[in-house]
Amino acid sequence: MKKIMIIALLGLMSAGEAKSQEVFNQVVSNAKLVLEDPRADGFIIAVSQFKFTALQYLCNTAIKRKGGPVEADMLDRQAYALNHFIISYFGELAKAQKSSDATQKDIMKKYWRATTENPMFNDEDTETTCAFMNDPDCITPFSIDTNWELADKAISEKKK
């Protein structure tokens, strides 16, 4: 539970007040700081690695596909949605530990489906895009080729 609270705080810090592309830059920067911190907890490192990788993939692939600069607003919205998605995911997992309403596996599948059913680029390089999904020890088993706004919206609609 303590780790989930830390994730939530990191997420809120990452998505505070922002101007052009600041949300994206802040989420990436915070993730990088965690990855470079030799005292960081393994759980937090794993979450930060996923965020860093997913956002770098998003930016780099968007630049390649567009052939030039990418709209800062799009990157900000995606970074914010990714943060919210991850916080929601770990929040639901924490609640499932205390109740019998939903199993953790069901929650993991619901979030996994949200990422696979809402691709950003329909990238055929599944070795890269599904690397986290294919790792049985990964705590964030999601596709990095995800439209995070749509995936987050899909999760929010299922909660209603």
Side-chain angles (χ1 to χ4, degrees):
M1 187 63 158
K2 183 179 176 184
K3 291 178 183 179
I4 291 170
M5 296 308 288
I6 293 170
I7 294 284
L9 288 173
L10 284 174
L12 292 174
M13 286 178 8
S14 299
E17 288 185 33
K19 295 178 184 160
S20 180
Q21 201 174 331
E22 285 187 29
V23 174
F24 177 86
N25 289 338
Q26 197 165 11
V27 174
V28 170
S29 178
N30 285 348
K32 192 173 179 185
L33 284 172
V34 170
L35 294 173
E36 293 171 350
D37 183 353
R39 300 165 298 169
D41 176 83
F43 179 85
I44 304 301
I45 290 172
V47 173
S48 294
Q49 183 64 60
F50 179 79
K51 286 181 180 183
F52 184 81
T53 303
L55 292 175
Q56 290 300 307
Y57 168 82
L58 170 74
C59 185
N60 292 337
T61 305
I63 289 169
K64 286 179 193 171
R65 299 263 171 121
K66 189 172 180 181
V70 180
E71 292 178 27
D73 185 52
M74 182 276 288
L75 293 174
D76 282 346
R77 290 190 324 268
Q78 289 294 316
Y80 183 84
L82 167 63
N83 248 354
H84 188 264
F85 184 90
I86 297 293
I87 291 167
S88 296
Y89 171 65
F90 286 112
E92 279 197 51
L93 286 177
K95 286 179 190 174
Q97 288 179 333
K98 297 179 181 180
S99 71
S100 59
D101 294 339
T103 67
Q104 288 189 342
K105 277 191 174 187
D106 290 338
I107 292 166
M108 291 173 85
K109 285 180 185 177
K110 177 175 70 171
Y111 279 80
W112 174 82
R113 267 192 225 103
T115 67
T116 60
E117 293 173 358
N118 293 288
M120 179 63 96
F121 304 107
N122 289 305
D123 194 335
E124 293 180 14
D125 179 8
T126 57
E127 186 176 334
T128 298
T129 61
C130 298
F132 288 91
M133 290 172 38
N134 295 332
D135 180 352
D137 298 322
C138 187
I139 61 172
T140 50
F142 311 124
S143 169
I144 61 172
D145 180 15
T146 298
N147 181 322
W148 295 105
E149 287 182 288
L150 294 179
D152 192 44
K153 183 178 177 184
I155 290 299
S156 295
E157 289 174 359
K158 288 182 182 184
K159 287 182 184 180
K160 293 179 182 176

